[in-house]
Amino acid sequence: MRVEYDYDTCIGMFQCVAEWDAFERDEDAGKAVLADSEEREDDVFVREVPDGAELDAKFAARACPVDAIAVYDDDGDQLIP
């Protein structure tokens, strides 16, 4: 499972931070940051979801009010949103 995070879309509500500790607050930018991720496209960050964190990643994606977080299964199918 992997998560993709669109930094540009983020509006800084930080609801993802409350759901999964892979997201951190960047108060200076007013946006969340996805830790241990790599930038695949301009402002789109990707990381694998560690075993045991799948539910947290899904909750973080569902909590985002602007759908800046997407979760994909191992086959590449989008699960959320």
Side-chain angles (χ1 to χ4, degrees):
M1 179 178 287
R2 78 177 192 280
V3 63
E4 290 187 5
Y5 167 60
D6 187 333
Y7 181 84
D8 188 47
T9 300
C10 178
I11 61 171
M13 296 298 294
F14 300 119
Q15 291 171 326
C16 58
V17 174
E19 297 296 338
W20 188 24
D21 61 5
F23 284 97
E24 302 168 352
R25 288 177 175 259
D26 181 348
E27 296 290 343
D28 293 334
K31 296 181 180 254
V33 174
L34 180 58
D36 300 322
S37 64
E38 66 179 54
E39 190 170 12
R40 292 262 173 96
E41 300 172 26
D42 286 342
D43 289 332
V44 176
F45 295 84
V46 179
R47 74 170 275 179
E48 293 297 315
V49 177
D51 290 338
E54 295 91 352
L55 194 56
D56 292 337
K58 289 177 182 179
F59 279 135
R62 286 189 179 114
C64 181
V66 293
D67 294 334
I69 304 166
V71 178
Y72 296 85
D73 67 14
D74 291 335
D75 293 325
D77 295 325
Q78 187 170 346
L79 303 174
I80 301 165

